[in-house]
């Protein structure tokens, strides 16, 4: 088998330039001269016999379609190389290396701590880097190779993602303490037709909550929108409307000290499935598979349902 005409260093320089968007930005990050980076890009393009970038002095670096595909592959190769180096220092079968995890913002507090704890106990030589964010950004990160695995709601996900089910959350109603319907019994959403709504404006939670309302015969009048579930609860506690959330939140007090009450919805709302997701175009690393098993609470991981 002949060796490739490019080096891991060239790939690393290419990834750094692509992520920075400019030679100067990558130069500052890597502490390598811009001329050395430019030369590495030229050599990589010659080795691959393809144009990867369009370099314009005043507008930075733009990837060609071939460059975008190469970026995804280069990230994977670099991670595999790093995992190989880490594993070489351990025992046979030992999981090492770094796994990059993306977690939907509202799911992170409830799911990440226990998963990270299990993973650390099982694989002390491995590392986890995680980011929290909205679902559309996390999907892009998975498909572009920036993330190895994501913890997401299974709601309008890209079909290019492979999924493994974890659990689900059932939407519930959030009312201020003392509200006429805050007595613990399930409530039909139509009973709130005359009251304003506080919407957690963080897709897919917002889309799902509005869909739950419409399915129950309620066309909500949204008074306030927020991307922060704590702020949504605080606005409800201040008497500014009701909200529909999916992620359970412990406690009955907001940051301001107001009382809020979680009430079941009597209209049998559809649950939101929680899944592990990764790009179907790239096989997950051993470290990513081990993280998936820890998230699923088992030793082998769940089965893909896509």
């Amino acid at each position: 088998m002949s060796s490739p005409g490019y080096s891991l260093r060239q790939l690393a320089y290419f990834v750094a330039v692509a992520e920075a968007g400019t030679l100067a930005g990558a130069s500052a990050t890597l502490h390598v001269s811009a001329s050395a980076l430019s030369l590495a890009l030229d050599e990589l393009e010659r080795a691959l016999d393809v144009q990867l970038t369009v370099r314009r002095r005043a507008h930075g670096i733009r990837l060609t379609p071939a460059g975008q595909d190469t970026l995804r592959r280069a990230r994977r190769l670099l991670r595999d190389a790093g995992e190989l180096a880490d594993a070489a220092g351990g025992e046979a079968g030992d999981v090492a290396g770094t796994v990059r995890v993306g977690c939907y913002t509202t799911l992170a507090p409830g799911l990440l701590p226990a998963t990270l704890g299990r993973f650390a106990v099982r694989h002390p030589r491995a590392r986890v880097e995680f980011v929290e964010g909205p679902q559309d950004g996390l999907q892009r990160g998975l498909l572009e190779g920036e993330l190895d695995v994501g913890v997401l709601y299974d709601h309008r996900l890209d079909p290019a993602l492979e999924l493994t089910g974890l659990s689900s959350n059932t939407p519930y109603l959030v009312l201020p303490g003392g509200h006429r319907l805050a007595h613990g019994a399930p409530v039909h959403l139509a009973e709130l037709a005359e009251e304003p709504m506080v919407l957690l404006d963080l897709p897919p939670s917002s889309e799902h909550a509005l869909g739950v309302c419409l399915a129950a015969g309620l066309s909500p009048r949204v008074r306030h929108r927020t991307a922060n579930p704590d702020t949504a609860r605080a606005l409800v506690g201040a008497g500014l409307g009701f909200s529909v959330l999916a992620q359970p939140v412990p406690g009955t007090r907001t940051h301001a000290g107001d009382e809020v009450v979680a009430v079941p919805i009597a209209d049998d709302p559809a649950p939101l499935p929680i899944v592990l997701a990764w790009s179907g175009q790239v096989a997950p690393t051993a470290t990513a598979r081990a993280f998936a098993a820890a998230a699923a609470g088992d030793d082998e991981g769940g089965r893909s349902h896509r």
Side-chain angles (χ1 to χ4, degrees):
M1 181 183 295
S2 61
S3 60
Y6 57 85
S7 68
L8 290 178
R9 176 172 295 180
Q10 290 169 345
L11 291 178
Y13 286 178
F14 167 64
V15 170
V17 170
E19 292 179 345
T22 64
L23 288 171
S27 175
T29 299
L30 297 174
H31 305 290
V32 176
S33 69
S35 60
L37 292 176
S38 181
L39 178 60
L41 290 182
D42 290 339
E43 292 174 343
L44 181 61
E45 289 180 331
R46 281 197 295 271
L48 298 177
D49 193 24
V50 67
Q51 182 178 355
L52 302 175
T53 65
V54 176
R55 288 171 250 178
R56 296 176 293 177
R57 185 178 299 274
H59 301 283
I61 299 292
R62 180 174 61 82
L63 296 185
T64 64
Q68 293 172 352
D69 181 63
T70 301
L71 177 61
R72 289 190 290 270
R73 295 171 181 267
R75 283 172 171 153
R76 178 59 59 182
L77 280 172
L78 291 171
R79 288 181 202 170
D80 286 344
E83 190 173 73
L84 176 63
D86 287 333
E91 299 178 359
D94 190 18
V95 173
T98 299
V99 57
R100 298 185 183 182
V101 179
C103 191
Y104 179 63
T105 300
T106 66
L107 293 175
L111 292 179
L112 277 186
T115 299
L116 294 177
R118 283 193 296 269
F119 185 76
V121 169
R122 296 177 184 180
H123 310 290
R125 297 185 61 247
R127 298 181 300 277
V128 178
E129 297 176 358
F130 70 86
V131 296
E132 303 167 68
Q135 196 145 294
D136 55 352
L138 297 177
Q139 286 195 81
R140 286 195 300 272
L142 290 168
L143 294 172
E144 293 175 5
E146 297 175 0
L147 298 172
D148 294 302
V149 63
V151 181
L152 310 172
Y153 277 126
D154 187 4
H155 184 81
R156 298 185 181 180
L157 293 178
D158 193 297
L161 295 176
E162 294 289 335
L163 310 177
T164 294
L166 290 179
S167 60
S168 64
N169 283 333
T170 299
Y172 61 94
L173 182 63
V174 185
L175 296 173
H179 189 279
R180 61 185 175 84
L181 298 175
H183 42 61
V187 171
H188 290 281
L189 292 179
E191 297 180 66
L192 297 162
E194 302 302 319
E195 300 186 28
M197 181 181 189
V198 175
L199 180 66
L200 178 61
D201 198 8
L202 188 67
S205 292
S206 49
E207 299 170 0
H208 190 259
L210 292 174
V212 166
C213 290
L214 293 173
L218 172 65
S219 296
R221 176 169 52 89
V222 177
R223 173 185 285 178
H224 296 292
R225 298 172 181 263
T226 175
N228 187 323
D230 287 334
T231 302
R233 295 175 79 247
L235 293 172
V236 172
L240 298 175
F242 70 90
S243 191
V244 174
L245 301 179
Q247 179 64 31
V249 179
T252 59
R253 297 287 175 178
T254 69
H255 288 290
D258 296 317
E259 183 184 11
V260 291
V261 179
V263 179
I265 297 173
D267 304 291
D268 193 23
L272 263 174
I274 302 168
V275 295
L276 283 167
W278 60 91
S279 173
Q281 301 173 353
V282 182
T285 64
T287 312
R289 292 195 301 272
F291 180 86
D298 59 32
D299 294 325
E300 300 296 334
R303 292 182 178 273
S304 171
H305 64 254
R306 214 187 251 179

